[in-house]
Amino acid sequence: SLLYGAQAGTFYVQGDADSRACIRLSGADVVLGGRLKGPVDDDLGNMAGKANLKGFAFEYMTLGRAVVLGDPGPWMCSGMTGGVVYVRLQPDMGMDLAALDRRKAKGAMVEIIDRLDTTDEANLADLLGGYADALDDGDQPDEAREVRELAVAPHGRFAKVVARNQQVDPAVSTE
């Protein structure tokens, strides 16, 4: 339950997270930097065990921004009513729109959109730029350079997940 109900701040996670990462996220910004470890093959089963986020990520999210650089895992965005989640697309590794759709929770009232607008571009530049700066501060210039390259040309590299009907006041938790 990494960042359960986080309301503010920016968090950079260089690696994977267990189940229910960012549940009830309600205002914080998050970059989950775990990367695909190999091609995605959902026909093999055990989707959660192989994912970077182990299931139910962004459940009941009401507000905030998040970036997932790897596999968001199954049952994502269940009960999501606000905020935005950007997921890196890597069609050559099997992480495409169809794979994201298979990861969406059944009944989740969200849309997966592969068209980014200027707000999305600004969000990705901000979040990935901050993560790259943190990587530079941690003496990881090669990783920082790769992250910056993603931010420079995000079209075709990311899809966004948003709630179909945004909650009237996303700052109010439903718990």
Side-chain angles (χ1 to χ4, degrees):
S1 297
L2 174 72
L3 300 172
Y4 183 105
Q7 297 177 359
T10 302
F11 301 88
Y12 304 118
V13 179
Q14 186 184 16
D16 299 341
D18 210 339
S19 64
R20 293 200 153 156
C22 303
I23 183 176
R24 292 201 183 282
L25 191 68
S26 53
D29 290 334
V30 182
V31 176
L32 297 152
R35 307 280 182 96
L36 294 178
K37 295 167 182 61
V40 173
D41 187 352
D42 295 341
D43 292 334
L44 296 176
N46 192 21
M47 192 184 300
K50 294 180 284 186
N52 299 97
L53 308 178
K54 303 301 181 193
F56 298 101
F58 312 106
E59 185 178 29
Y60 304 118
M61 182 176 176
T62 61
L63 190 64
R65 305 177 300 172
V67 176
V68 179
L69 295 181
D71 187 340
W75 318 295
M76 70 174 187
C77 301
S78 175
M80 180 180 179
T81 59
V84 61
V85 178
Y86 299 99
V87 182
R88 182 178 179 193
L89 297 172
Q90 292 181 271
D92 57 322
M93 296 281 281
M95 185 54 65
D96 55 16
L97 291 174
L100 288 181
D101 193 57
R102 288 190 302 273
R103 281 150 178 74
K104 182 176 71 171
K106 289 190 186 337
M109 301 297 286
V110 298
E111 293 181 76
I112 300 171
I113 303 167
D114 63 343
R115 295 172 318 280
L116 302 178
D117 59 27
T118 55
T119 299
D120 300 318
E121 292 172 5
N123 284 340
L124 285 162
D126 182 37
L127 293 167
L128 292 173
Y131 182 47
D133 289 346
L135 291 167
D136 271 335
D137 289 346
D139 198 26
Q140 298 177 65
D142 294 338
E143 183 82 7
R145 185 182 67 254
E146 287 181 36
V147 170
R148 281 194 180 89
E149 287 172 5
L150 290 172
V152 169
H155 292 278
R157 293 180 169 181
F158 288 91
K160 67 179 173 182
V161 183
V162 293
R164 283 193 193 129
N165 296 308
Q166 297 283 315
Q167 185 172 309
V168 175
D169 183 358
V172 176
S173 174
T174 57
E175 187 171 310

